Amino acid sequence: MERPRILVVGGGFAGVECARRLERKLAPAEAEIALVTPFSYQLYLPLLPHVAAGVLTPQSVAVSLRRTLHRTNIIPGGAIGVDAQAKMCVIRTISDEVVVKRYDYLVLTPGSITRTFDIPGLNQYARGMKTLAEAAYIRDHVISQLDLASATHDRAERESRLQFVVVGGGYAGTETAACLQRLTTAAARRYPRLDPRLIRWHLIDIAPRLMPELGERLGLTALEILRRRGVEVSLGVSVAEVGEDSVKFTDGRLVPSRTLIWTAGVAASPLIGTLGAETVKGRLAVTAEMRVPHMEGMFALGDAAAVPDLAKGDGAVCPPTAQHSQRQGKTVADNLVATLRNQPLKPYHHRDLGLVVDLGGTDAVSRPLGVELHGLPAQAVARGYHLMALRTNVAKARVTSNWTLNAVAGDDFVRTGFLSRRPASLRDFEYTDSYLTAEQVREHTRSLLAKG
């Protein structure tokens, strides 16, 4: 008898956690497990600001899937369409070949992409902070701005190269601004021709408060830390226009700058829009058990799914966080096991562990289990949480040694020349134009069926 085929789409927190648990709970004879992912690593997103600042090496936050998963078939590529009726997934492999994979059960965890708006110049000149390549690129770009500012004799050019704008007052934006500001402040001492007072970091957000999820008091503490370190935080403000060497704010200010880092939220993977299923603010509508209604054998979770938040009720859905994604992955794995063994499924229900925000150095704010902390205690909690969440001992060792070396020896200011000849844009890293229409998906599946 042929084993049921479980296909997991996405190698992020939700997908990897689901596959790991399936490996532990199912005997090899019970199911065939496959994972579709463009990269053979799980990216630990919360530490990308540390990569951008050079505190951690890129390898430290790229957890090898071949160390994590032992009998899951890893398919290098990306899902670009799903035919739910025929139970087939269309995949573009890393060799650019389009193939069709049959499944009995599909777990959709394609994650999210950077959310953008129709702002002139944004897609052309902004950089994101969603992928490992973007973090590595931003580090090179920021250091190159210091090099170029030191080399130029043009005062206007120097000014534009030494002003940096981060858009988004959530965790990603706040930590990115904090960590990179710390890097440039330390680096400025190595540039005799640069006046450190000319280096300015701007953090802006349309919201009235910084990181409102932290609560008012901790949010204000984080705001005070940033302003004390020289970061200019503007709330209730967004970007009106972006140029090659300037950024115009919605309050009318024109900031000379060649660096705009965009972290203003995320949107569900474009794969979701190809399914023709019900969505909630762009995320796939699912039941509390994370099943997709009217699509047999299909589950969805993580950033791409609007999973009901039963702890809050009143129609609330879970926010797109790593904490939720990991727990949802475990619950979906349990529900798949229950489905295969004709047992009842269980809804996703969680208890919030709290929030951690690492602002670099000894600065941090945290709220573990509702307890508000800042300074070194908060830093200890934040880094302890990250180490706990990393899935291999090799990754834990790399991160710990990198943190220790940085604390003892300080920062390095070496750029690798990554994409040095051509400025990179948001679209260069997230491959948002790869997806098929519903009709194209049906054409691929019909072609496969015709071949028998």
Side-chain angles (χ1 to χ4, degrees):
M1 183 177 175
E2 190 175 351
R3 293 179 298 170
R5 296 160 296 197
I6 300 174
L7 181 62
V8 182
V9 172
F13 289 104
V16 172
E17 201 63 46
C18 179
R20 289 178 76 246
R21 198 170 182 91
L22 286 171
E23 285 189 347
R24 291 199 303 270
K25 291 209 161 191
L26 290 175
E30 286 187 274
E32 171 191 307
I33 309 167
L35 174 71
V36 181
T37 178
F39 307 106
S40 60
Y41 60 79
Q42 177 193 355
L43 177 61
Y44 190 75
L45 274 165
L47 289 178
L48 277 186
H50 285 211
V51 174
V55 176
L56 298 177
T57 62
Q59 292 86 349
S60 302
V61 300
V63 182
S64 171
L65 292 181
R66 302 193 187 277
R67 286 182 182 270
T68 307
L69 302 173
H70 305 293
R71 60 184 177 87
T72 297
N73 176 30
I74 298 173
I75 303 172
I80 57 176
V82 175
D83 187 333
Q85 187 174 359
K87 286 194 169 183
M88 295 183 181
C89 182
V90 184
I91 299 165
R92 190 186 301 278
T93 68
I94 58 172
S95 60
D96 219 27
E97 180 186 4
V98 177
V99 300
V100 178
K101 177 79 173 175
R102 297 176 185 269
Y103 67 85
D104 296 296
Y105 299 96
L106 182 66
V107 180
L108 286 176
T109 69
S112 56
I113 60 172
T114 301
R115 180 182 63 183
T116 59
F117 301 95
D118 189 18
I119 298 172
L122 180 65
N123 285 323
Q124 184 177 359
Y125 297 112
R127 282 92 184 175
M129 182 60 88
K130 196 78 173 62
T131 67
L132 191 59
E134 284 175 314
Y137 175 83
I138 284 173
R139 171 174 168 76
D140 259 24
H141 172 79
V142 168
I143 295 173
S144 72
Q145 296 310 297
L146 300 181
D147 289 345
L148 291 165
S150 178
T152 187
H153 296 284
D154 186 304
R155 181 175 178 178
E157 180 185 347
R158 181 182 296 116
E159 185 179 4
S160 68
R161 294 195 182 281
L162 294 180
Q163 294 210 54
F164 306 88
V165 179
V166 179
V167 183
Y171 303 112
T174 302
E175 289 185 337
T176 296
C179 291
L180 286 172
Q181 182 272 338
R182 186 171 176 269
L183 171 70
T184 55
T185 298
R189 294 194 291 268
R190 308 283 183 173
Y191 290 83
R193 295 190 67 245
L194 285 186
D195 183 348
R197 292 171 296 182
L198 295 178
I199 301 175
R200 296 172 63 185
W201 280 87
H202 302 265
L203 175 62
I204 69 173
D205 195 287
I206 196 64
R209 284 167 50 193
L210 194 68
M211 294 182 294
E213 301 90 342
L214 278 174
E216 186 173 0
R217 188 161 58 179
L218 274 186
L220 286 173
T221 300
L223 181 62
E224 289 168 5
I225 290 171
L226 292 175
R227 285 178 169 163
R228 185 176 68 241
R229 282 165 47 175
V231 178
E232 298 182 25
V233 182
S234 301
L235 300 174
V237 176
S238 189
V239 172
E241 187 176 348
V242 188
E244 184 179 0
D245 57 4
S246 65
V247 180
K248 186 176 182 180
F249 294 172
T250 53
D251 63 3
R253 282 180 290 167
L254 186 66
V255 175
S257 174
R258 296 171 188 251
T259 307
L260 175 65
I261 303 173
W262 183 267
T263 67
V266 296
S269 165
L271 178 64
I272 299 306
T274 71
L275 296 174
E278 181 185 353
T279 58
V280 178
K281 294 183 178 179
R283 300 166 71 187
L284 200 58
V286 297
T287 67
E289 295 79 20
M290 286 168 283
R291 290 183 295 184
V292 181
H294 315 301
M295 294 193 175
E296 184 185 353
M298 188 185 296
F299 293 79
L301 58 154
D303 292 4
V307 179
D309 190 339
L310 300 182
K312 291 183 179 178
D314 295 326
V317 297
C318 298
T321 66
Q323 192 178 133
H324 278 292
S325 293
Q326 285 182 314
R327 295 175 177 187
Q328 289 167 8
K330 293 179 181 179
T331 302
V332 164
D334 291 343
N335 284 341
L336 277 166
V337 173
T339 300
L340 292 172
R341 296 174 181 172
N342 295 315
Q343 297 170 350
L345 278 60
K346 63 179 183 180
Y348 173 67
H349 199 285
H350 73 99
R351 183 189 176 201
D352 194 359
L353 293 179
L355 305 164
V356 296
V357 181
D358 189 334
L359 300 174
T362 59
D363 291 327
V365 290
S366 300
R367 198 180 66 194
L369 302 175
V371 180
E372 296 187 351
L373 302 172
H374 61 87
L376 279 174
Q379 184 69 281
V381 168
R383 297 198 169 182
Y385 171 80
H386 292 315
L387 288 175
M388 179 183 69
L390 288 165
R391 285 306 179 205
T392 68
N393 289 329
V394 171
K396 295 176 197 287
R398 281 179 175 153
V399 168
T400 301
S401 61
N402 282 181
W403 277 337
T404 303
L405 182 62
N406 182 260
V408 172
D411 298 302
D412 285 319
F413 318 110
V414 177
R415 58 189 174 97
T416 61
F418 183 59
L419 284 180
S420 61
R421 295 290 181 184
R422 181 174 65 88
S425 66
L426 287 170
R427 291 183 178 177
D428 288 324
F429 295 104
E430 298 196 33
Y431 313 106
T432 55
D433 55 356
S434 302
Y435 298 90
L436 301 180
T437 64
E439 181 56 35
Q440 289 172 321
V441 171
R442 285 192 291 271
E443 285 177 11
H444 280 286
T445 55
R446 281 197 297 264
S447 174
L448 180 68
L449 291 170
K451 293 177 183 177

